[in-house]
Amino acid sequence: MPQFDWIDNFDPQNGPDGMELIDDNGLLIDSVVYGDGAVQLAEDGFILGEGSPAPDVGGGHSISRFPAGFDTDENSIDFLEGVPTPGEEYLPAQP
């Protein structure tokens, strides 16, 4: 079974921010940045996000990669706004 680390001092918020997925060798696997004005460089030196930021969403909404596994290396295309659905299939928000 693979081992995973969880960083418990993570505080995502509504507004510009970003996240990285790093493997056990310290290599960047993927990253996302959302909201205008987010930092371009993470504290660890990796470029944060891919292309333009994903949309900034309000409270009660989230961003999710859609469809699952889809990656063009452009956050504004790969991530859509939706309502959180933990443990369920993601469905994008309806306009």
Side-chain angles (χ1 to χ4, degrees):
M1 171 179 228
Q3 297 297 310
F4 300 96
D5 290 329
W6 175 257
I7 299 174
D8 63 2
N9 64 350
F10 180 65
D11 185 21
Q13 40 83 32
N14 292 328
D17 216 336
M19 293 174 265
E20 302 175 311
L21 179 60
I22 299 173
D23 72 11
D24 58 349
N25 294 313
L27 298 174
L28 181 66
I29 296 172
D30 203 0
S31 71
V32 61
V33 69
Y34 58 91
D36 292 328
V39 298
Q40 302 270 323
L41 193 64
E43 289 181 13
D44 58 15
F46 287 121
I47 293 174
L48 190 56
E50 299 172 335
S52 299
D56 190 5
V57 300
H61 282 217
S62 63
I63 59 170
S64 293
R65 191 180 294 277
F66 186 78
F70 183 70
D71 189 4
T72 67
D73 293 330
E74 174 61 51
N75 290 163
S76 65
I77 295 171
D78 296 341
F79 291 88
L80 298 177
E81 178 176 358
V83 177
T85 55
E88 298 178 21
E89 181 180 347
Y90 170 76
L91 298 174
Q94 300 299 313

